[in-house]
Amino acid sequence: MASLFSLVLLSICLLSSPFLSNANAHTKLGFTTDLIHRDSPRSPLFNPNETPSQRLRNAIHRSANRVVHFIAKDASLDSPQTEITSNGGEYLMNVSLGTPPFPIMAIADTGSDLLWTQCKPCDDCYTQDDPLFDPQESSTYRDVSCSSSQCTALQKDASCSSEDSTCSYSMSYGDHSHTYGNIATDTLTLGSTNTRPVQLKNVIIGCGHKNNGTFNKKGSGIIGLGGGAVSLISQLSDSIEGKFSYCLVPLSSRNDSTSKMNFGTNAVVSGTGTVSTPLIQKTPETFYYLTLESISVGSKQLKYPGSDSGNGEGNIIIDSGTTLTILPTEFYSELEAAVKSSIDAESRQDPGSGLNLCYSATEDLKLPVITMHFNGADVKLNSFNSFIQVSEDLVCFTFRGSESLAIYGNLSQMNFLVGYDTVSKTVSFKPADCANM
């Protein structure tokens, strides 16, 4: 990390956000940073004693747990409180906080908004391997007052006591984990593959002083990349023209490539093979919603429930932190039957992962082509998007049923350049070789 931040810094004030004043509003950014999968050898969460099959099964179980928190959030439409899994998210980013820069390995999460980390003094905190961020050591750290626009932007997540005028936040998670602390502003530094790290000033952060539950001791915080007012995407606002994209390297990749996340001018997705679908605004605004119209298994097309009615808009969440693609139970059963009937082999189950539809991994196994038909965008999946090898002799379908919601997960997005334009309200997909980008 030291060598990363010894380079010349590109500095910009986050002043184009609606609750930040502006001296540099017209500065436009374009930069790319690494996304590190939590099971990569580069990740502090990497367990060298686990086999690839064990890591994959763990990711599948985390995916199932993460769904619970989307349900909890979606069920409370009158409350903007962020409900994410405490160890949710499959990708990490190297960032630094404060002046001088203090390195943090944080979860990059499109399913949450606030950027927060554990801070000194920590009165009631989970054990963390890395040193805690000390706000007193940062010359650019500033607590936020209760009357400020930064505090009111958090709405019901923020609170103020009569004894202290400092804005506080409190977040509870579905597994009873929690974080509580001060809302503040400080400088955030992102590593950039363009050789110059990008320094972002006046970023709204949560400085957690009471955090406990099932948080991983090797993680230092969360970078919220959702659609809410205090997410990093919203804070960057006009500086990145509402654009970010990522390219996720397949889990089967044998080289040491990392996935990439792009911002601003670097995030434009265009050219041959690009398709785009509307990005739908719904409550809660944290999540990114798309409209799925149907799914094809080979030449057989299955209409998605409610897609031909007025209330079918925004019927699936796209999320980089959920491993599997989750569909309504009844429709999933129909899809599974279509996939099963198109494969000339005996199906099996995998008790270790809980996946329903699996096959022996033989050389002559022929898998059908799965195509996702979003509104205006047909996304043809590769075989590694729709089937994953969970052991040496077993491959399983990467879709799963749920009673309550639908999520387009990261296995389905691998080797696609996926671009979000929050100004034009579109999400674009372009086939790509993400390991070589």
Side-chain angles (χ1 to χ4, degrees), residues 252-268:
S252 57
S253 177
R254 298 302 180 190
N255 61 25
D256 196 28
S257 299
T258 59
S259 299
K260 296 292 186 288
M261 185 159 194
N262 313 294
F263 296 87
T265 55
N266 285 27
V268 175

Side-chain angles (χ1 to χ4, degrees), residues 23-199:
N24 237 354
H26 301 295
T27 303
K28 302 300 179 185
L29 284 178
F31 63 97
T32 298
T33 189
D34 287 326
L35 278 178
I36 302 168
H37 194 277
R38 62 181 292 154
D39 289 330
S40 161
R42 298 190 186 191
S43 164
L45 305 179
F46 177 74
N47 183 351
N49 297 320
E50 289 181 340
T51 65
S53 296
Q54 287 174 320
R55 295 187 192 107
L56 181 58
R57 287 187 170 103
N58 289 341
I60 291 169
H61 291 311
R62 288 193 299 270
S63 183
N65 292 336
R66 187 168 168 85
V67 170
V68 174
H69 303 293
F70 278 100
I71 294 170
K73 174 76 178 257
D74 207 33
S76 303
L77 299 183
D78 59 334
S79 171
Q81 181 174 359
T82 303
E83 293 270 7
I84 58 167
T85 174
S86 54
N87 274 332
E90 293 294 298
Y91 291 89
L92 304 166
M93 290 172 65
N94 280 316
V95 304
S96 283
L97 197 58
T99 307
F102 182 87
I104 292 172
M105 180 70 86
I107 293 172
D109 190 10
T110 53
S112 65
D113 292 323
L114 184 65
L115 186 163
W116 70 267
T117 189
Q118 292 204 116
C119 293
K120 292 183 178 179
C122 233
D123 306 318
D124 178 22
C125 290
Y126 66 92
T127 302
Q128 177 180 306
D129 285 352
D130 291 336
L132 300 183
F133 175 68
D134 188 348
Q136 293 189 351
E137 295 294 321
S138 173
S139 62
T140 47
Y141 177 93
R142 301 286 184 274
D143 281 322
V144 165
S145 70
C146 290
S147 59
S148 68
S149 56
Q150 291 99 325
C151 187
T152 56
L154 273 91
Q155 302 176 46
K156 292 182 181 179
D157 284 336
S159 63
C160 290
S161 68
S162 56
E163 301 174 0
D164 191 353
S165 61
T166 300
C167 182
S168 299
Y169 77 93
S170 178
M171 292 185 180
S172 297
Y173 301 90
D175 57 4
H176 305 296
S177 299
H178 64 269
T179 175
Y180 171 83
N182 292 350
I183 293 298
T185 61
D186 207 341
T187 297
L188 177 71
T189 307
L190 301 176
S192 172
T193 60
N194 300 350
T195 71
R196 292 193 303 168
V198 180
Q199 195 177 70

